[in-house]
Amino acid sequence: MTPEPPARAQRRPSQTPPIEGPTNSDDVLDDIVNLLAGHIGETANVASTPTRRRARGAPKVQISIDYSDSDPRSIHTMAGEIGYSITSNWFAQWMAKLLVAGVLSRSRAAVFLFVAGGQKKGTGITSYTQQQITDGLNELLADMPGAKRITRPTVNKAVKTLIEWGWLESAGYGRIRLNVTLWFTGNSGEQKNVLQEIASDHGDAPEAFPHKVGPKNLPVQQMLDFEEPPARGAAG
């Protein structure tokens, strides 16, 4: 008798490895953040994740960034080499009105602008003594014989008035703090930190620095006719 062939073992169907699902949305977000961070010149603090192959049919994320500026980090083009500040538009017009009304004198305006332009970035602080302010304001007069100079007592009076108005604050010898809601050198995060520091010193009362901005009880503004020709010899 012919022996029967051995029974064939039943073949099991081969198991197909599961197809990877779409990349986790967090991984996609990490890639986006890293790409954007590279374009602005900063390193993102994102934990690295294992590289995964994109599954067939999974959505593909593509980002294109186009800058017209050769350096995306340069935001403003300003004159000079000592930086720039952010100024409240309301305050700029308030200063102009006070100048026209004769309340903001030339010496007060000069002292405030000189101090504001000397802020250390992100602090709201200027490191000037009153003598340094005086010397700085008189700097151009060396080549102008006979020109009127500002004196240290005048600077002293101007600083005291500006402190009373809430535009400035004494921060110790040789240190003056600006009201950073009016004029600030730095970004919004730095301003927030300075305001928190001020609040810890003064509280949040409406009359506390830097919320109170003077002067108050203004005299009646003199009416000026700017259409009249200036007096002979008057400077415009």
Side-chain angles (χ1 to χ4, degrees), residues 199-236:
S200 67
D201 294 337
H202 298 281
D204 294 323
E207 295 298 315
F209 183 87
H211 307 297
K212 178 182 177 182
V213 178
K216 294 185 177 180
N217 302 321
L218 296 178
V220 178
Q221 179 175 342
Q222 180 183 0
M223 298 300 296
L224 301 178
D225 187 354
F226 292 100
E227 296 182 359
E228 292 183 359
R232 183 174 299 178

Side-chain angles (χ1 to χ4, degrees), residues 6 8 13 23 32-33 45 61 71-72 153 168 192 200 202 213 218 230 234:
R8 293 183 179 180
T23 304
I32 294 174
V33 172
N45 186 19
V61 178
D71 182 1
L168 303 177
K192 180 180 179 180
S200 67
H202 298 281
V213 178
L218 296 178

Side-chain angles (χ1 to χ4, degrees), residues 5 15 38 41-42 91 110 118 131 147 170 173 188 235:
Q15 295 183 354
E42 298 180 359
F91 180 67
Q131 186 60 54
S170 176
Y173 179 77
S188 59

Side-chain angles (χ1 to χ4, degrees), residues 110-191:
V111 168
F112 177 81
L113 292 173
F114 186 84
V115 170
Q119 289 182 70
K120 292 182 179 179
K121 183 180 182 299
T123 66
I125 298 289
T126 59
S127 297
Y128 288 139
T129 63
Q130 293 186 11
Q131 186 60 54
Q132 289 174 324
I133 296 173
T134 304
D135 295 340
L137 291 174
N138 288 326
E139 185 175 341
L140 296 180
L141 304 183
D143 300 326
M144 302 172 62
K148 187 176 181 181
R149 306 173 69 87
I150 191 170
T151 64
R152 181 170 175 175
T154 301
V155 169
N156 181 39
K157 292 179 182 178
V159 170
K160 287 183 177 179
T161 299
L162 294 171
I163 290 176
E164 292 174 359
W165 290 357
W167 297 15
L168 303 177
E169 179 187 44
S170 176
Y173 179 77
R175 288 165 55 88
I176 301 174
R177 171 180 276 154
L178 269 290
N179 183 330
V180 297
T181 67
L182 307 179
W183 204 295
F184 184 67
T185 300
N187 59 42
S188 59
E190 291 168 333
Q191 186 199 35

Side-chain angles (χ1 to χ4, degrees), residues 73-93:
R73 291 169 295 180
S74 63
I75 301 175
H76 299 89
T77 300
M78 310 296 289
E81 299 178 352
I82 58 174
Y84 59 91
S85 301
I86 299 173
T87 306
S88 160
N89 288 337
W90 168 83
F91 180 67
Q93 293 189 341

